[in-house]
Amino acid sequence: MLYTRREIFRGLEKKIGRVFAKILPYPNAYTLLSLIPAVLTAFFIVNKNFFLAAGFFFFAIFMDVIDGAVARTLEKTSKLGAYLDTIVDRFVEIIVLFSLLFADFPELVLPAYAWIFLLLVGSLLTTYAKAAAKEKEIVKNEVKGGLLERAERVFLLWIALILAGFNPFYSIVLISVLAVLSILSALQRILIVIRFSQHEK
């Protein structure tokens, strides 16, 4: 949903791009460096220091903003850069979600690990539904839309980490909601592709 309002943040993105392009003028370096705060996020989750985990996860998210902003500022956008960004984004989510399995969240209808697994499945399927449609040449442009884009998903996951610092139960409630919405988002994209395919016929 946030991708439809990207123009609102365009001015801020340009400022970020100008600042960080002077510090390190290599967009792909920022992409790869985002793995460091992701690993630190996982470390603090496992050690149940959720506030520090949330801090480092925010840093990982911010690094993902920086790489694109720097690339556009320096006019260094490339297919390889976009590819690396997508792959590293998946790694960041997998690292963080895997670490949540060791956080001892309480059960909520299903065991906590089931909700975390479903969230991971929804996250990966949402991305793959888009990638597969383009790979199979069903669509020319990337499939976007659905209840949750990655931006909303990681933002809500960040909120879940903060909530875990207060009460793990609040966190697993949000994680379970995220899991359901992520699965629904994947299904929405699959339906979008099916409808597009039928319309083309």
Side-chain angles (χ1 to χ4, degrees):
M1 287 183 280
L2 283 177
Y3 82 93
T4 60
R5 297 176 173 83
R6 288 189 65 176
E7 290 303 320
I8 298 173
F9 306 101
R10 193 66 70 189
L12 178 60
E13 183 188 58
K14 288 180 180 178
K15 291 178 182 178
I16 291 171
R18 285 195 293 267
V19 170
F20 285 93
K22 294 177 182 177
I23 299 172
L24 183 64
Y26 305 106
N28 291 344
Y30 285 110
T31 300
L32 296 173
L33 284 171
S34 67
L35 290 168
I36 296 174
V39 171
L40 290 170
T41 299
F43 173 80
F44 286 112
I45 287 173
V46 171
N47 286 279
K48 300 178 179 59
N49 192 329
F50 295 107
F51 292 125
L52 272 177
F56 279 107
F57 189 50
F58 180 83
F59 190 39
I61 296 169
F62 186 57
M63 294 283 279
D64 188 38
V65 174
I66 293 172
D67 62 4
V70 170
R72 281 181 280 275
T73 297
L74 298 177
E75 297 182 351
K76 288 185 176 181
T77 55
S78 66
K79 291 182 179 179
L80 176 61
Y83 175 77
L84 285 176
D85 184 57
T86 299
I87 296 298
V88 171
D89 283 350
R90 299 291 78 73
F91 268 115
V92 168
E93 286 189 68
I94 290 169
I95 289 168
V96 173
L97 291 175
F98 178 71
S99 67
L100 288 174
L101 294 172
F102 304 93
D104 294 329
F105 287 120
E107 184 173 315
L108 180 66
V109 183
L110 298 174
Y113 65 79
W115 291 119
I116 294 165
F117 175 75
L118 287 173
L119 176 52
L120 177 60
V121 169
S123 171
L124 294 178
L125 276 179
T126 300
T127 301
Y128 188 68
K130 173 177 69 174
K134 199 168 183 181
E135 177 193 348
K136 304 304 179 184
E137 299 181 347
I138 297 174
V139 298
K140 293 181 180 179
N141 299 316
E142 288 187 343
V143 177
K144 293 186 179 291
L147 289 169
L148 289 182
E149 290 278 322
R150 182 177 184 271
E152 292 96 345
R153 195 168 60 243
V154 295
F155 175 74
L156 291 174
L157 184 56
W158 174 65
I159 296 296
L161 291 178
I162 295 173
L163 291 175
F166 293 103
N167 189 324
F169 179 75
Y170 300 147
S171 183
I172 198 61
V173 168
L174 182 52
I175 287 171
S176 64
V177 171
L178 259 174
V180 172
L181 293 179
S182 294
I183 296 289
L184 289 175
S185 296
L187 292 174
Q188 277 186 300
R189 286 191 173 182
I190 293 168
L191 287 173
I192 289 170
V193 172
I194 291 172
R195 287 171 182 169
F196 183 86
S197 176
Q198 291 174 339
H199 179 72
E200 286 294 293
K201 292 178 181 179

